[in-house]
mmCIF file of all heavy atoms in Angstrom:
data_model
loop_
_atom_site.group_PDB
_atom_site.id
_atom_site.type_symbol
_atom_site.label_atom_id
_atom_site.label_comp_id
_atom_site.label_asym_id
_atom_site.label_seq_id
_atom_site.Cartn_x
_atom_site.Cartn_y
_atom_site.Cartn_z
ATOM 1 N N ASN Q 230 7.519 -0.186 -2.310
ATOM 2 C CA ASN Q 230 7.410 -1.550 -2.678
ATOM 3 C C ASN Q 230 6.665 -2.430 -1.760
ATOM 4 O O ASN Q 230 6.406 -3.656 -2.120
ATOM 5 C CB ASN Q 230 8.945 -2.139 -2.696
ATOM 6 C CG ASN Q 230 9.167 -3.487 -3.316
ATOM 7 O OD1 ASN Q 230 8.678 -3.689 -4.415
ATOM 8 N ND2 ASN Q 230 9.820 -4.341 -2.618
ATOM 9 N N HIS Q 231 6.198 -2.022 -0.571
ATOM 10 C CA HIS Q 231 5.391 -2.768 0.294
ATOM 11 C C HIS Q 231 3.923 -2.548 -0.092
ATOM 12 O O HIS Q 231 3.055 -3.442 0.405
ATOM 13 C CB HIS Q 231 5.639 -2.388 1.741
ATOM 14 C CG HIS Q 231 6.932 -2.778 2.192
ATOM 15 N ND1 HIS Q 231 7.404 -2.674 3.546
ATOM 16 C CD2 HIS Q 231 8.016 -3.538 1.622
ATOM 17 C CE1 HIS Q 231 8.566 -3.208 3.697
ATOM 18 N NE2 HIS Q 231 8.946 -3.639 2.532
ATOM 19 N N ASN Q 232 3.539 -1.462 -0.711
ATOM 20 C CA ASN Q 232 2.139 -1.187 -0.999
ATOM 21 C C ASN Q 232 1.738 -1.016 -2.408
ATOM 22 O O ASN Q 232 0.665 -0.703 -2.785
ATOM 23 C CB ASN Q 232 1.721 0.009 -0.115
ATOM 24 C CG ASN Q 232 1.617 -0.203 1.281
ATOM 25 O OD1 ASN Q 232 0.991 -1.108 1.705
ATOM 26 N ND2 ASN Q 232 2.322 0.513 2.049
ATOM 27 N N PHE Q 233 2.808 -1.127 -3.327
ATOM 28 C CA PHE Q 233 2.570 -1.003 -4.743
ATOM 29 C C PHE Q 233 3.261 -2.160 -5.431
ATOM 30 O O PHE Q 233 4.357 -2.532 -5.017
ATOM 31 C CB PHE Q 233 3.112 0.280 -5.351
ATOM 32 C CG PHE Q 233 2.203 1.513 -5.202
ATOM 33 C CD1 PHE Q 233 2.113 2.113 -4.035
ATOM 34 C CD2 PHE Q 233 1.349 1.892 -6.197
ATOM 35 C CE1 PHE Q 233 1.283 3.228 -3.859
ATOM 36 C CE2 PHE Q 233 0.562 2.977 -6.140
ATOM 37 C CZ PHE Q 233 0.433 3.723 -4.971
ATOM 38 N N VAL Q 234 2.686 -2.651 -6.486
ATOM 39 C CA VAL Q 234 3.354 -3.536 -7.427
ATOM 40 C C VAL Q 234 3.612 -2.719 -8.719
ATOM 41 O O VAL Q 234 2.977 -1.724 -8.906
ATOM 42 C CB VAL Q 234 2.518 -4.866 -7.827
ATOM 43 C CG1 VAL Q 234 2.328 -5.764 -6.625
ATOM 44 C CG2 VAL Q 234 1.143 -4.396 -8.340
ATOM 45 N N HIS Q 235 4.596 -3.249 -9.489
ATOM 46 C CA HIS Q 235 4.869 -2.506 -10.717
ATOM 47 C C HIS Q 235 5.062 -3.543 -11.845
ATOM 48 O O HIS Q 235 5.334 -4.692 -11.546
ATOM 49 C CB HIS Q 235 6.094 -1.510 -10.603
ATOM 50 C CG HIS Q 235 7.322 -2.169 -10.197
ATOM 51 N ND1 HIS Q 235 7.656 -2.696 -8.886
ATOM 52 C CD2 HIS Q 235 8.469 -2.556 -10.945
ATOM 53 C CE1 HIS Q 235 8.813 -3.223 -8.866
ATOM 54 N NE2 HIS Q 235 9.419 -3.129 -10.023
ATOM 55 N N LYS Q 236 4.904 -3.071 -12.986
ATOM 56 C CA LYS Q 236 5.158 -3.939 -14.210
ATOM 57 C C LYS Q 236 5.730 -3.051 -15.373
ATOM 58 O O LYS Q 236 5.582 -1.819 -15.334
ATOM 59 C CB LYS Q 236 3.953 -4.746 -14.648
ATOM 60 C CG LYS Q 236 2.866 -3.918 -15.362
ATOM 61 C CD LYS Q 236 1.743 -4.821 -15.750
ATOM 62 C CE LYS Q 236 0.647 -4.077 -16.564
ATOM 63 N NZ LYS Q 236 -0.400 -4.940 -17.018
ATOM 64 N N ARG Q 237 6.392 -3.707 -16.333
ATOM 65 C CA ARG Q 237 6.870 -3.085 -17.426
ATOM 66 C C ARG Q 237 6.509 -3.749 -18.722
ATOM 67 O O ARG Q 237 6.411 -5.039 -18.805
ATOM 68 C CB ARG Q 237 8.453 -3.155 -17.394
ATOM 69 C CG ARG Q 237 9.106 -2.542 -18.626
ATOM 70 C CD ARG Q 237 10.576 -2.885 -18.739
ATOM 71 N NE ARG Q 237 11.054 -4.161 -18.412
ATOM 72 C CZ ARG Q 237 10.996 -5.314 -19.278
ATOM 73 N NH1 ARG Q 237 10.316 -5.274 -20.315
ATOM 74 N NH2 ARG Q 237 11.415 -6.464 -18.839
ATOM 75 N N SER Q 238 6.091 -3.045 -19.739
ATOM 76 C CA SER Q 238 5.644 -3.584 -21.043
ATOM 77 C C SER Q 238 6.874 -4.025 -21.786
ATOM 78 O O SER Q 238 8.048 -3.683 -21.452
ATOM 79 C CB SER Q 238 4.834 -2.568 -21.745
ATOM 80 O OG SER Q 238 5.628 -1.503 -22.209
ATOM 81 N N GLU Q 239 6.568 -4.808 -22.816
ATOM 82 C CA GLU Q 239 7.642 -5.238 -23.722
ATOM 83 C C GLU Q 239 8.385 -4.050 -24.313
ATOM 84 O O GLU Q 239 7.848 -2.942 -24.494
ATOM 85 C CB GLU Q 239 6.959 -5.979 -24.893
ATOM 86 C CG GLU Q 239 7.902 -6.590 -25.891
ATOM 87 C CD GLU Q 239 7.146 -7.346 -26.971
ATOM 88 O OE1 GLU Q 239 5.868 -7.415 -26.917
ATOM 89 O OE2 GLU Q 239 7.742 -7.914 -27.830
ATOM 90 N N PHE Q 240 9.645 -4.241 -24.611
ATOM 91 C CA PHE Q 240 10.443 -3.142 -25.198
ATOM 92 C C PHE Q 240 11.320 -3.628 -26.343
ATOM 93 O O PHE Q 240 11.554 -4.833 -26.424
ATOM 94 C CB PHE Q 240 11.314 -2.475 -24.102
ATOM 95 C CG PHE Q 240 12.443 -3.255 -23.576
ATOM 96 C CD1 PHE Q 240 13.710 -3.295 -24.205
ATOM 97 C CD2 PHE Q 240 12.270 -3.996 -22.401
ATOM 98 C CE1 PHE Q 240 14.754 -4.153 -23.706
ATOM 99 C CE2 PHE Q 240 13.354 -4.758 -21.873
ATOM 100 C CZ PHE Q 240 14.566 -4.821 -22.543
ATOM 101 N N ALA Q 241 11.726 -2.721 -27.205
ATOM 102 C CA ALA Q 241 12.563 -3.094 -28.306
ATOM 103 C C ALA Q 241 13.743 -2.181 -28.305
ATOM 104 O O ALA Q 241 13.721 -1.055 -27.720
ATOM 105 C CB ALA Q 241 11.776 -2.854 -29.657
ATOM 106 N N GLY Q 242 14.832 -2.569 -28.814
ATOM 107 C CA GLY Q 242 16.074 -1.804 -28.879
ATOM 108 C C GLY Q 242 16.802 -1.857 -27.501
ATOM 109 O O GLY Q 242 16.498 -2.644 -26.679
#
Side-chain angles (χ1 to χ4, degrees):
N230 189 52
H231 288 185
N232 290 303
F233 277 79
V234 290
H235 60 288
K236 72 177 183 178
R237 174 193 41 79
S238 68
E239 181 178 3
F240 67 88

